[in-house]
Amino acid sequence: MGVLFVHGAGGWVDDQPMADELRTRLGVKVDMPQFPDQDMSAAAWRAELDRQLDSLGPFAVIVGHSFGSSMLLLRMADGWPGHPLPRGLVLAATPYWGSEGWQAEYALPADFTPPAGLPLVFHHCRDDTTVPFDHLARFESLLPGAVVRLHESGGHQFEGRMAAIADDVGSLG
């Protein structure tokens, strides 16, 4: 199993401890490439995701954090042409964009459905001061088949909560 970690907006440095803890807990390679922080357009992030998906094997699990999670979902809404589906997505502190959330450029289509059989697991901490906790309820409504993990504490960086994320990643691998 390999893991691709898609960090949050401008979070390549801030999210390193999360990726490091996954490496330690899982004992597997966790790739965390640096995504653009100069160009935060959905198109720029999707282009980098495509480059990363090209090198991803069929036994990979993808972990997304914050903005990176939402870009993974947006990329999935466009399909995964020419790329094998991952074994699952584990998404942490995912912002909900659009008319009922934040900026529309990043919004999922109203008719969005993930590929059949692709496990989706959402994690969110109630004390996250970056992505409001109520965004999780919107995803829960939009994607009723997803697994949702609520954490009372841990903040935006999931301090003390990475074991739960690692457990979900490990169960998918």
Side-chain angles (χ1 to χ4, degrees):
M1 170 181 71
V3 176
L4 172 64
F5 189 102
V6 181
H7 63 77
W12 191 73
V13 171
D14 292 343
D15 289 358
Q16 289 290 338
M18 296 173 75
D20 288 344
E21 191 163 347
L22 287 175
R23 281 183 202 101
T24 299
R25 289 185 177 278
L26 296 169
V28 300
K29 182 178 178 185
V30 176
D31 290 322
M32 189 173 115
Q34 189 168 7
F35 282 78
D37 58 359
Q38 305 301 326
D39 182 354
M40 295 303 299
S41 69
W45 276 62
R46 278 196 306 256
E48 182 59 29
L49 274 171
D50 283 343
R51 281 190 286 281
Q52 297 304 319
L53 293 174
D54 284 342
S55 63
L56 207 57
F59 302 108
V61 175
I62 303 178
V63 177
H65 179 238
S66 196
F67 186 79
S69 290
S70 58
M71 292 300 97
L72 282 166
L73 289 172
L74 193 57
R75 181 65 189 90
M76 187 189 314
D78 294 338
W80 296 91
H83 308 292
L85 282 176
R87 296 183 69 88
L89 299 181
V90 178
L91 308 172
T94 309
Y96 187 92
W97 307 95
S99 61
E100 294 181 21
W102 291 348
Q103 300 175 358
E105 176 190 1
Y106 309 129
L108 289 171
D111 61 350
F112 172 72
T113 55
L118 178 69
L120 291 177
V121 183
F122 286 86
H123 286 260
H124 209 111
C125 297
R126 192 174 298 279
D127 64 348
D128 185 337
T129 59
T130 303
V131 177
F133 185 73
D134 68 338
H135 286 219
L136 182 61
R138 291 184 174 128
F139 280 113
E140 201 168 11
S141 176
L142 178 67
L143 303 167
V147 174
V148 173
R149 308 267 193 237
L150 312 172
H151 306 282
E152 289 301 316
S153 63
H156 190 63
Q157 296 302 125
F158 289 81
E159 293 175 26
R161 300 292 175 222
M162 287 305 294
I165 292 174
D167 286 348
D168 282 332
V169 171
S171 75
L172 295 170

